[in-house]
Amino acid sequence: MPTIFIFFGFRFLFYSNDHEPIHVHIIKGRCEAKYNIEPTNQVYNHGFKPQEISMIESIITENHNVIKERWTQYFGKDNGRTEDN
């Protein structure tokens, strides 16, 4: 599970066998959420409180380009195109 970054104990990561669309998983303790990046929207939330979700969404918004860049570096794809295209 490649970790992108950790902020305030929230671990933002991809699973090594992830799939498009570009998305990020957020884990802290026993809680997990998943967000698509373009457009940014919540796919699921298992256990995070509303104020934690607000913080997570702010972190995603502020780091959108970093998340997308890391996805492209790790998976070699950007919205279905390989780096060779």
Side-chain angles (χ1 to χ4, degrees):
M1 295 186 293
T3 298
I4 305 165
F5 46 71
I6 299 172
F7 282 123
F8 306 107
F10 297 101
R11 182 176 173 205
F12 292 75
L13 59 100
F14 306 128
Y15 289 112
S16 60
N17 62 343
D18 256 338
H19 54 82
E20 292 186 8
I22 297 174
H23 63 275
V24 64
H25 298 265
I26 303 91
I27 297 174
K28 184 176 183 181
R30 294 184 178 191
C31 301
E32 181 175 355
K34 176 181 173 182
Y35 278 82
N36 288 332
I37 300 304
E38 292 182 333
T40 300
N41 65 322
Q42 186 183 90
V43 177
Y44 61 76
N45 170 25
H46 298 300
F48 285 116
K49 296 176 183 175
Q51 67 254 42
E52 292 173 311
I53 289 296
S54 292
M55 183 177 286
I56 288 167
E57 290 175 355
S58 293
I59 293 168
I60 291 171
T61 299
E62 292 173 17
N63 293 281
H64 173 270
N65 290 336
V66 172
I67 295 167
K68 187 175 175 184
E69 180 181 306
R70 296 282 176 87
W71 176 283
T72 302
Q73 288 173 348
Y74 188 80
F75 293 105
K77 297 180 182 181
D78 184 10
N79 293 326
R81 295 179 299 231
T82 64
E83 290 179 345
D84 295 331
N85 290 343

Coordinates of all heavy atoms in Angstrom, one line a residue:
M1 N 0.8 -1.2 0.0 CA 0.0 0.0 0.0 C 0.9 1.2 0.0 O 1.4 1.6 1.0 CB -0.9 0.0 1.2 CG -1.9 -1.1 1.3 SD -3.1 -0.9 2.6 CE -2.0 -1.2 4.0
P2 N 1.1 1.8 -1.2 CA 1.9 3.0 -1.2 C 1.3 4.2 -0.5 O 0.2 4.7 -0.9 CB 2.0 3.3 -2.7 CG 1.5 2.1 -3.4 CD 0.6 1.4 -2.5
T3 N 1.9 4.7 0.5 CA 1.4 5.9 1.3 C 1.8 7.2 0.5 O 3.0 7.3 0.1 CB 2.0 5.9 2.7 OG1 1.5 4.8 3.4 CG2 1.6 7.2 3.4
I4 N 0.9 8.0 0.3 CA 1.2 9.3 -0.4 C 1.7 10.3 0.7 O 2.7 10.9 0.5 CB -0.1 9.9 -1.0 CG1 -0.7 8.8 -2.0 CG2 0.2 11.2 -1.8 CD1 -2.1 9.1 -2.4
F5 N 1.0 10.5 1.8 CA 1.4 11.3 2.9 C 0.6 11.0 4.1 O -0.5 10.3 4.0 CB 1.4 12.8 2.5 CG 0.1 13.3 1.8 CD1 -1.1 13.3 2.5 CD2 0.2 13.6 0.5 CE1 -2.2 13.8 1.8 CE2 -1.0 14.1 -0.2 CZ -2.2 14.1 0.5
I6 N 1.0 11.5 5.2 CA 0.2 11.4 6.5 C 0.1 12.8 7.1 O 1.1 13.5 7.2 CB 0.9 10.5 7.5 CG1 1.1 9.1 6.9 CG2 0.2 10.5 8.8 CD1 1.9 8.1 7.8
F7 N -1.1 13.2 7.3 CA -1.4 14.5 7.9 C -2.3 14.3 9.1 O -3.4 13.6 9.0 CB -2.2 15.5 7.0 CG -1.3 16.1 5.9 CD1 -1.6 16.0 4.6 CD2 -0.3 16.9 6.3 CE1 -0.9 16.6 3.6 CE2 0.5 17.6 5.3 CZ 0.2 17.4 4.0
F8 N -1.9 14.8 10.3 CA -2.7 14.7 11.5 C -3.2 13.3 11.8 O -4.3 13.1 12.3 CB -4.0 15.6 11.4 CG -3.6 17.1 11.1 CD1 -3.9 17.6 9.8 CD2 -3.0 17.9 12.0 CE1 -3.5 18.9 9.5 CE2 -2.6 19.2 11.7 CZ -2.9 19.7 10.5
G9 N -2.4 12.3 11.5 CA -2.7 10.9 11.7 C -3.5 10.3 10.7 O -3.7 9.0 10.7
F10 N -4.0 11.0 9.7 CA -4.7 10.4 8.5 C -3.7 10.0 7.5 O -2.9 10.8 7.0 CB -5.6 11.5 7.9 CG -6.7 12.0 8.8 CD1 -6.6 13.2 9.4 CD2 -7.9 11.3 9.0 CE1 -7.6 13.7 10.2 CE2 -8.9 11.8 9.8 CZ -8.7 13.0 10.4
R11 N -3.8 8.7 7.1 CA -2.8 8.1 6.1 C -3.6 8.1 4.8 O -4.6 7.5 4.7 CB -2.5 6.7 6.6 CG -1.5 6.1 5.6 CD -1.1 4.7 6.1 NE -0.3 4.0 5.2 CZ -0.2 2.7 5.1 NH1 -0.8 1.9 6.0 NH2 0.5 2.1 4.2
F12 N -3.0 8.8 3.8 CA -3.6 8.9 2.5 C -2.8 7.9 1.6 O -1.5 8.0 1.5 CB -3.5 10.3 1.9 CG -4.4 11.3 2.6 CD1 -4.1 11.7 3.9 CD2 -5.5 11.7 2.0 CE1 -4.9 12.6 4.6 CE2 -6.4 12.6 2.7 CZ -6.1 13.1 4.0
L13 N -3.4 7.0 0.9 CA -2.7 5.9 0.2 C -3.5 5.4 -0.9 O -4.7 5.7 -1.1 CB -2.4 4.8 1.2 CG -3.6 4.1 1.9 CD1 -4.0 2.8 1.2 CD2 -3.3 3.9 3.4
F14 N -2.8 4.6 -1.7 CA -3.4 3.8 -2.8 C -3.2 2.3 -2.4 O -2.2 2.0 -1.7 CB -2.6 4.0 -4.1 CG -2.5 5.4 -4.6 CD1 -1.3 5.9 -5.0 CD2 -3.6 6.2 -4.7 CE1 -1.2 7.2 -5.4 CE2 -3.5 7.5 -5.1 CZ -2.3 8.0 -5.5
Y15 N -4.0 1.5 -2.9 CA -3.7 0.1 -2.8 C -2.9 -0.3 -4.0 O -3.1 0.2 -5.1 CB -5.0 -0.8 -2.7 CG -5.7 -0.6 -1.4 CD1 -6.9 0.0 -1.3 CD2 -5.1 -1.1 -0.2 CE1 -7.5 0.2 0.0 CE2 -5.7 -0.9 1.0 CZ -6.9 -0.3 1.1 OH -7.6 -0.2 2.3
S16 N -2.0 -1.2 -3.9 CA -1.1 -1.6 -5.0 C -1.8 -2.1 -6.2 O -1.2 -2.1 -7.3 CB 0.0 -2.5 -4.5 OG -0.5 -3.7 -4.1
N17 N -3.0 -2.6 -6.1 CA -3.7 -3.2 -7.2 C -4.9 -2.3 -7.5 O -5.9 -2.8 -8.1 CB -4.2 -4.6 -6.9 CG -5.1 -4.7 -5.7 OD1 -5.2 -3.8 -4.9 ND2 -5.8 -5.8 -5.6
D18 N -4.8 -1.0 -7.2 CA -6.0 -0.1 -7.4 C -6.3 0.1 -8.9 O -5.5 -0.4 -9.8 CB -5.7 1.3 -6.8 CG -6.5 1.5 -5.5 OD1 -7.5 0.8 -5.3 OD2 -6.1 2.3 -4.7
H19 N -7.4 0.7 -9.2 CA -8.0 0.8 -10.5 C -8.4 2.3 -10.7 O -8.6 3.0 -9.7 CB -9.1 -0.1 -10.6 CG -10.1 0.1 -9.5 ND1 -11.1 1.1 -9.6 CD2 -10.3 -0.5 -8.4 CE1 -11.8 1.1 -8.5 NE2 -11.3 0.1 -7.7
E20 N -8.7 2.7 -11.9 CA -9.2 4.0 -12.2 C -10.7 4.0 -11.8 O -11.3 2.9 -11.8 CB -9.0 4.3 -13.7 CG -7.5 4.5 -13.9 CD -7.3 5.0 -15.4 OE1 -8.2 5.3 -16.1 OE2 -6.1 5.1 -15.7
P21 N -11.3 5.1 -11.6 CA -10.8 6.4 -11.7 C -9.7 6.7 -10.6 O -9.7 6.0 -9.6 CB -12.0 7.4 -11.6 CG -12.9 6.6 -10.7 CD -12.7 5.1 -11.1
I22 N -9.0 7.8 -10.8 CA -8.0 8.2 -9.8 C -8.7 8.4 -8.5 O -9.7 9.2 -8.4 CB -7.2 9.4 -10.2 CG1 -6.4 9.1 -11.5 CG2 -6.2 9.9 -9.1 CD1 -5.7 10.3 -12.1
H23 N -8.2 7.8 -7.4 CA -8.9 7.9 -6.1 C -7.8 7.7 -5.0 O -6.7 7.3 -5.3 CB -10.0 7.0 -5.9 CG -9.6 5.5 -6.0 ND1 -9.5 4.9 -7.2 CD2 -9.3 4.7 -5.0 CE1 -9.1 3.6 -6.9 NE2 -9.0 3.5 -5.6
V24 N -8.2 8.0 -3.8 CA -7.3 7.9 -2.6 C -8.1 7.3 -1.5 O -9.3 7.5 -1.3 CB -6.7 9.3 -2.3 CG1 -7.7 10.2 -1.8 CG2 -5.6 9.1 -1.2
H25 N -7.4 6.4 -0.7 CA -8.0 5.9 0.5 C -7.4 6.6 1.7 O -6.2 7.0 1.7 CB -7.6 4.4 0.6 CG -8.2 3.6 -0.5 ND1 -9.4 2.9 -0.4 CD2 -7.7 3.3 -1.8 CE1 -9.6 2.3 -1.6 NE2 -8.6 2.5 -2.4
I26 N -8.2 6.8 2.7 CA -7.7 7.5 3.9 C -8.0 6.6 5.1 O -9.1 6.1 5.2 CB -8.5 8.8 4.1 CG1 -8.3 9.8 2.9 CG2 -7.9 9.5 5.4 CD1 -9.3 9.6 1.8
I27 N -7.0 6.3 5.9 CA -7.1 5.4 7.0 C -6.6 6.1 8.3 O -5.5 6.7 8.2 CB -6.3 4.1 6.8 CG1 -6.9 3.3 5.6 CG2 -6.3 3.2 8.0 CD1 -6.1 2.1 5.2
K28 N -7.3 5.9 9.3 CA -6.9 6.3 10.7 C -7.5 5.4 11.7 O -8.8 5.4 11.7 CB -7.2 7.8 10.9 CG -6.7 8.3 12.3 CD -7.0 9.8 12.4 CE -6.4 10.3 13.7 NZ -6.7 11.7 13.9
G29 N -6.7 4.7 12.4 CA -7.3 3.7 13.4 C -8.1 2.7 12.6 O -7.6 2.1 11.6
R30 N -9.3 2.5 13.0 CA -10.2 1.5 12.4 C -11.1 2.2 11.3 O -12.0 1.5 10.8 CB -11.0 0.8 13.4 CG -10.2 0.0 14.3 CD -11.0 -0.8 15.3 NE -10.2 -1.7 16.1 CZ -10.6 -2.6 16.8 NH1 -11.9 -2.8 16.9 NH2 -9.8 -3.3 17.6
C31 N -11.0 3.5 11.1 CA -11.8 4.2 10.1 C -11.1 4.2 8.7 O -9.9 4.2 8.6 CB -12.0 5.6 10.6 SG -12.8 5.7 12.2
E32 N -12.0 4.2 7.7 CA -11.5 4.3 6.3 C -12.5 5.0 5.5 O -13.7 4.9 5.6 CB -11.2 3.0 5.7 CG -10.6 3.1 4.3 CD -10.2 1.7 3.7 OE1 -10.2 0.7 4.4 OE2 -9.8 1.8 2.5
A33 N -12.0 5.9 4.6 CA -12.8 6.5 3.6 C -12.1 6.4 2.2 O -10.9 6.2 2.2 CB -13.0 8.0 3.9
K34 N -12.9 6.6 1.2 CA -12.3 6.6 -0.2 C -12.9 7.8 -0.9 O -14.1 8.1 -0.8 CB -12.7 5.3 -0.9 CG -12.3 5.2 -2.3 CD -12.7 3.9 -2.9 CE -12.5 3.9 -4.4 NZ -12.9 2.6 -5.0
Y35 N -12.1 8.5 -1.7 CA -12.5 9.7 -2.4 C -11.9 9.6 -3.9 O -10.8 9.3 -4.1 CB -11.9 11.0 -1.8 CG -12.7 11.5 -0.7 CD1 -12.6 11.0 0.6 CD2 -13.7 12.5 -0.9 CE1 -13.3 11.4 1.7 CE2 -14.4 13.0 0.2 CZ -14.2 12.4 1.4 OH -15.0 12.9 2.5
N36 N -12.8 9.8 -4.8 CA -12.4 10.0 -6.2 C -11.8 11.4 -6.3 O -12.2 12.3 -5.5 CB -13.6 9.9 -7.2 CG -14.0 8.5 -7.3 OD1 -13.3 7.5 -7.2 ND2 -15.3 8.3 -7.7
I37 N -10.9 11.6 -7.2 CA -10.1 12.9 -7.3 C -10.7 13.8 -8.3 O -10.8 15.0 -8.1 CB -8.6 12.6 -7.5 CG1 -8.0 11.8 -6.4 CG2 -7.9 13.9 -7.7 CD1 -8.2 12.4 -5.0
E38 N -11.2 13.3 -9.4 CA -11.7 14.1 -10.5 C -13.0 13.6 -11.0 O -13.0 12.6 -11.8 CB -10.7 14.2 -11.6 CG -9.5 15.0 -11.2 CD -8.5 15.2 -12.4 OE1 -8.5 14.3 -13.3 OE2 -7.8 16.1 -12.3
P39 N -14.2 14.1 -10.6 CA -14.3 15.2 -9.6 C -14.1 14.6 -8.2 O -14.3 13.4 -8.0 CB -15.7 15.7 -9.8 CG -16.5 14.5 -10.3 CD -15.5 13.7 -11.1
T40 N -13.7 15.5 -7.3 CA -13.5 15.1 -5.9 C -14.9 14.8 -5.3 O -15.7 15.7 -5.2 CB -12.8 16.1 -5.1 OG1 -11.5 16.4 -5.7 CG2 -12.6 15.7 -3.7
N41 N -15.1 13.5 -4.9 CA -16.3 13.1 -4.2 C -16.1 11.9 -3.4 O -15.2 11.1 -3.7 CB -17.5 12.9 -5.2 CG -17.3 11.8 -6.2 OD1 -16.2 11.6 -6.6 ND2 -18.3 11.1 -6.5
Q42 N -16.8 11.8 -2.3 CA -16.7 10.7 -1.4 C -17.3 9.4 -2.0 O -18.5 9.5 -2.4 CB -17.3 11.0 -0.1 CG -17.1 10.0 1.0 CD -17.8 10.3 2.3 OE1 -19.0 9.9 2.4 NE2 -17.2 11.1 3.1
V43 N -16.6 8.3 -2.0 CA -17.1 7.1 -2.4 C -17.7 6.3 -1.2 O -18.8 5.8 -1.3 CB -16.0 6.2 -3.1 CG1 -16.6 4.8 -3.5 CG2 -15.4 6.9 -4.3
Y44 N -17.0 6.3 -0.1 CA -17.5 5.7 1.1 C -16.8 6.3 2.3 O -15.7 6.9 2.2 CB -17.5 4.2 1.1 CG -16.1 3.6 1.0 CD1 -15.2 3.6 2.1 CD2 -15.7 3.0 -0.1 CE1 -14.0 3.0 2.1 CE2 -14.4 2.4 -0.2 CZ -13.6 2.4 0.9 OH -12.4 1.8 0.8
N45 N -17.5 6.2 3.5 CA -16.9 6.6 4.7 C -17.3 5.5 5.8 O -18.5 5.3 6.0 CB -17.4 7.9 5.2 CG -17.0 8.2 6.6 OD1 -16.1 7.7 7.1 ND2 -17.8 9.1 7.3
H46 N -16.3 4.9 6.4 CA -16.6 3.9 7.4 C -16.0 4.4 8.7 O -14.8 4.1 9.0 CB -15.9 2.5 7.0 CG -16.5 1.9 5.8 ND1 -17.8 1.6 5.6 CD2 -15.9 1.6 4.6 CE1 -18.1 1.1 4.4 NE2 -16.9 1.1 3.7
G47 N -16.8 5.2 9.4 CA -16.4 5.5 10.8 C -15.9 6.9 11.1 O -15.8 7.3 12.2
F48 N -15.5 7.7 10.1 CA -15.0 9.0 10.3 C -16.2 9.9 10.7 O -17.3 9.9 10.2 CB -14.3 9.6 9.1 CG -12.9 9.1 8.9 CD1 -12.7 8.4 7.7 CD2 -11.9 9.2 9.8 CE1 -11.4 7.8 7.5 CE2 -10.7 8.7 9.6 CZ -10.4 8.0 8.4
K49 N -15.9 10.8 11.7 CA -16.9 11.8 12.2 C -16.9 13.0 11.2 O -16.0 13.2 10.4 CB -16.5 12.3 13.6 CG -16.5 11.2 14.6 CD -16.0 11.7 15.9 CE -16.0 10.6 16.9 NZ -15.4 11.0 18.2
P50 N -18.0 13.7 11.2 CA -18.2 14.9 10.3 C -17.0 15.8 10.3 O -16.6 16.3 9.2 CB -19.5 15.5 10.7 CG -20.3 14.4 11.3 CD -19.3 13.5 12.0
Q51 N -16.5 16.2 11.5 CA -15.3 17.1 11.5 C -14.1 16.5 10.9 O -13.3 17.2 10.3 CB -15.1 17.7 12.9 CG -14.6 16.7 13.9 CD -15.6 16.3 14.9 OE1 -16.8 16.1 14.6 NE2 -15.3 16.2 16.1
E52 N -13.9 15.2 11.0 CA -12.8 14.5 10.4 C -13.0 14.5 8.9 O -12.0 14.7 8.1 CB -12.7 13.1 10.9 CG -12.3 13.0 12.4 CD -12.3 11.6 12.9 OE1 -13.4 10.9 12.7 OE2 -11.3 11.2 13.5
I53 N -14.2 14.3 8.4 CA -14.4 14.3 7.0 C -14.1 15.7 6.4 O -13.5 15.8 5.3 CB -15.9 13.9 6.7 CG1 -16.1 12.4 6.9 CG2 -16.3 14.3 5.3 CD1 -15.3 11.5 6.0
S54 N -14.5 16.7 7.1 CA -14.2 18.1 6.7 C -12.7 18.3 6.5 O -12.2 18.9 5.5 CB -14.8 19.1 7.6 OG -16.2 19.1 7.6
M55 N -11.9 17.8 7.5 CA -10.5 17.9 7.4 C -9.9 17.1 6.3 O -9.1 17.6 5.5 CB -9.9 17.5 8.7 CG -8.3 17.7 8.8 SD -7.6 17.2 10.3 CE -8.1 18.6 11.3
I56 N -10.4 15.9 6.1 CA -9.9 15.0 5.0 C -10.2 15.7 3.7 O -9.3 15.8 2.8 CB -10.6 13.7 5.1 CG1 -10.1 12.8 6.2 CG2 -10.5 12.9 3.7 CD1 -10.9 11.6 6.6
E57 N -11.4 16.3 3.5 CA -11.8 16.9 2.2 C -10.9 18.2 2.0 O -10.5 18.4 0.8 CB -13.2 17.3 2.2 CG -14.1 16.0 2.1 CD -15.6 16.2 2.2 OE1 -16.0 17.4 2.4 OE2 -16.3 15.3 2.0
S58 N -10.6 18.9 3.0 CA -9.7 20.0 2.9 C -8.3 19.6 2.5 O -7.7 20.2 1.6 CB -9.6 20.8 4.2 OG -10.8 21.4 4.5
I59 N -7.8 18.5 3.1 CA -6.5 18.0 2.7 C -6.4 17.5 1.3 O -5.5 17.8 0.5 CB -6.0 16.9 3.7 CG1 -5.8 17.5 5.1 CG2 -4.8 16.2 3.2 CD1 -5.7 16.4 6.2
I60 N -7.5 16.9 0.8 CA -7.5 16.4 -0.6 C -7.6 17.6 -1.5 O -6.8 17.6 -2.5 CB -8.8 15.5 -0.8 CG1 -8.6 14.2 0.0 CG2 -9.0 15.2 -2.3 CD1 -9.8 13.3 0.0
T61 N -8.4 18.6 -1.2 CA -8.5 19.8 -2.1 C -7.1 20.5 -2.2 O -6.7 20.8 -3.3 CB -9.5 20.7 -1.5 OG1 -10.8 20.0 -1.5 CG2 -9.6 22.0 -2.4
E62 N -6.5 20.6 -1.1 CA -5.2 21.3 -1.0 C -4.0 20.5 -1.7 O -3.0 21.1 -2.1 CB -4.8 21.7 0.4 CG -5.7 22.7 1.0 CD -5.4 23.0 2.5 OE1 -4.3 22.6 3.0 OE2 -6.3 23.5 3.1
N63 N -4.2 19.2 -1.8 CA -3.2 18.4 -2.3 C -3.6 17.6 -3.5 O -3.0 16.6 -3.9 CB -2.7 17.4 -1.2 CG -2.0 18.1 -0.1 OD1 -0.8 18.5 -0.2 ND2 -2.7 18.4 1.0
H64 N -4.6 18.1 -4.2 CA -5.1 17.4 -5.4 C -4.1 17.1 -6.4 O -4.0 15.9 -6.9 CB -6.2 18.3 -6.0 CG -6.7 17.8 -7.3 ND1 -6.1 18.2 -8.5 CD2 -7.7 17.0 -7.6 CE1 -6.8 17.6 -9.5 NE2 -7.8 16.9 -9.0
N65 N -3.2 18.0 -6.7 CA -2.2 17.8 -7.7 C -1.1 16.8 -7.3 O -0.6 16.0 -8.1 CB -1.5 19.1 -8.1 CG -2.4 20.0 -8.9 OD1 -3.4 19.6 -9.5 ND2 -2.1 21.3 -8.8
V66 N -0.8 16.8 -6.0 CA 0.2 15.8 -5.5 C -0.4 14.4 -5.6 O 0.3 13.5 -6.0 CB 0.5 16.1 -4.0 CG1 1.3 15.0 -3.4 CG2 1.2 17.5 -3.9
I67 N -1.7 14.2 -5.2 CA -2.3 12.9 -5.3 C -2.3 12.4 -6.7 O -2.0 11.3 -7.0 CB -3.7 13.0 -4.7 CG1 -3.7 13.3 -3.2 CG2 -4.5 11.7 -4.9 CD1 -5.0 13.7 -2.6
K68 N -2.7 13.3 -7.6 CA -2.8 12.9 -9.1 C -1.4 12.6 -9.6 O -1.2 11.6 -10.3 CB -3.4 14.0 -9.9 CG -3.7 13.7 -11.3 CD -4.4 14.8 -12.0 CE -4.6 14.4 -13.5 NZ -5.2 15.5 -14.2
E69 N -0.4 13.4 -9.2 CA 0.9 13.1 -9.7 C 1.5 11.8 -9.2 O 2.1 11.0 -9.9 CB 1.9 14.2 -9.2 CG 3.3 14.1 -9.6 CD 4.1 15.2 -9.1 OE1 3.8 16.4 -9.4 OE2 5.1 15.0 -8.4
R70 N 1.2 11.5 -7.9 CA 1.7 10.2 -7.3 C 1.0 9.0 -7.9 O 1.6 8.0 -8.1 CB 1.5 10.2 -5.8 CG 2.3 11.3 -5.1 CD 3.7 10.8 -4.9 NE 4.5 11.9 -4.2 CZ 4.6 12.0 -2.9 NH1 4.0 11.2 -2.1 NH2 5.4 13.0 -2.5
W71 N -0.3 9.2 -8.2 CA -1.0 8.1 -8.9 C -0.4 7.8 -10.3 O -0.1 6.7 -10.6 CB -2.5 8.5 -9.1 CG -3.3 7.5 -9.9 CD1 -3.3 7.3 -11.3 CD2 -4.2 6.5 -9.4 NE1 -4.1 6.3 -11.6 CE2 -4.7 5.8 -10.5 CE3 -4.6 6.2 -8.1 CZ2 -5.7 4.8 -10.3 CZ3 -5.6 5.2 -7.9 CH2 -6.1 4.5 -9.0
T72 N -0.1 8.9 -11.0 CA 0.5 8.7 -12.3 C 1.9 8.1 -12.3 O 2.2 7.2 -13.1 CB 0.6 10.1 -13.1 OG1 -0.8 10.7 -13.1 CG2 1.1 10.0 -14.4
Q73 N 2.7 8.5 -11.3 CA 4.0 7.9 -11.1 C 3.9 6.5 -10.8 O 4.7 5.6 -11.3 CB 4.8 8.7 -10.0 CG 5.2 10.0 -10.4 CD 5.8 10.8 -9.2 OE1 5.7 10.3 -8.0 NE2 6.4 11.9 -9.4
Y74 N 3.0 6.1 -9.9 CA 2.9 4.7 -9.4 C 2.3 3.8 -10.4 O 2.8 2.7 -10.7 CB 2.1 4.6 -8.1 CG 2.2 3.3 -7.5 CD1 3.3 2.9 -6.7 CD2 1.2 2.3 -7.6 CE1 3.4 1.6 -6.2 CE2 1.3 1.1 -7.1 CZ 2.4 0.7 -6.4 OH 2.5 -0.5 -5.8
F75 N 1.2 4.2 -11.0 CA 0.5 3.3 -11.9 C 0.8 3.5 -13.4 O 0.5 2.7 -14.2 CB -1.0 3.5 -11.7 CG -1.5 3.0 -10.4 CD1 -1.9 3.9 -9.4 CD2 -1.6 1.6 -10.1 CE1 -2.3 3.4 -8.2 CE2 -2.0 1.2 -8.9 CZ -2.3 2.1 -7.9
G76 N 1.5 4.7 -13.7 CA 1.9 4.9 -15.1 C 0.7 5.3 -15.9 O 0.8 5.1 -17.1
K77 N -0.3 5.8 -15.3 CA -1.5 6.1 -16.1 C -2.0 7.5 -15.7 O -1.8 7.9 -14.6 CB -2.6 5.1 -15.9 CG -2.3 3.7 -16.3 CD -3.5 2.8 -16.0 CE -3.1 1.4 -16.4 NZ -4.3 0.5 -16.1
D78 N -2.8 8.1 -16.6 CA -3.5 9.3 -16.3 C -4.8 9.3 -17.1 O -4.8 9.5 -18.3 CB -2.7 10.5 -16.7 CG -3.3 11.9 -16.3 OD1 -4.3 11.8 -15.6 OD2 -2.8 12.9 -16.7
N79 N -5.9 9.0 -16.4 CA -7.2 8.9 -17.0 C -7.2 8.0 -18.2 O -7.7 8.3 -19.3 CB -7.7 10.3 -17.4 CG -7.9 11.1 -16.2 OD1 -8.4 10.6 -15.1 ND2 -7.7 12.4 -16.2
G80 N -6.6 6.8 -18.1 CA -6.7 5.8 -19.1 C -5.6 5.9 -20.2 O -5.5 5.0 -21.0
R81 N -4.7 6.9 -20.1 CA -3.6 7.0 -21.1 C -2.3 6.6 -20.4 O -2.1 6.9 -19.3 CB -3.5 8.5 -21.5 CG -4.7 8.9 -22.3 CD -4.5 10.4 -22.7 NE -4.3 11.2 -21.5 CZ -5.0 12.3 -21.2 NH1 -5.9 12.7 -22.1 NH2 -4.8 12.9 -20.1
T82 N -1.5 5.8 -21.1 CA -0.2 5.5 -20.6 C 0.7 6.6 -20.9 O 0.5 7.5 -21.7 CB 0.3 4.2 -21.3 OG1 0.5 4.5 -22.7 CG2 -0.6 3.0 -21.1
E83 N 1.8 6.6 -20.2 CA 2.8 7.7 -20.4 C 3.4 7.7 -21.8 O 4.0 8.7 -22.2 CB 3.9 7.6 -19.3 CG 3.4 7.9 -17.9 CD 4.5 7.8 -16.9 OE1 5.5 7.2 -17.2 OE2 4.3 8.3 -15.8
D84 N 3.3 6.6 -22.5 CA 3.8 6.5 -23.8 C 2.9 7.2 -24.9 O 3.4 7.4 -26.0 CB 4.0 5.0 -24.2 CG 5.1 4.3 -23.4 OD1 6.0 5.0 -22.9 OD2 5.0 3.1 -23.2
N85 N 1.7 7.4 -24.5 CA 0.7 8.0 -25.5 C 0.8 9.5 -25.5 O 1.1 10.2 -24.6 CB -0.7 7.6 -25.1 CG -1.0 6.1 -25.4 OD1 -0.2 5.5 -26.1 ND2 -2.0 5.6 -24.8

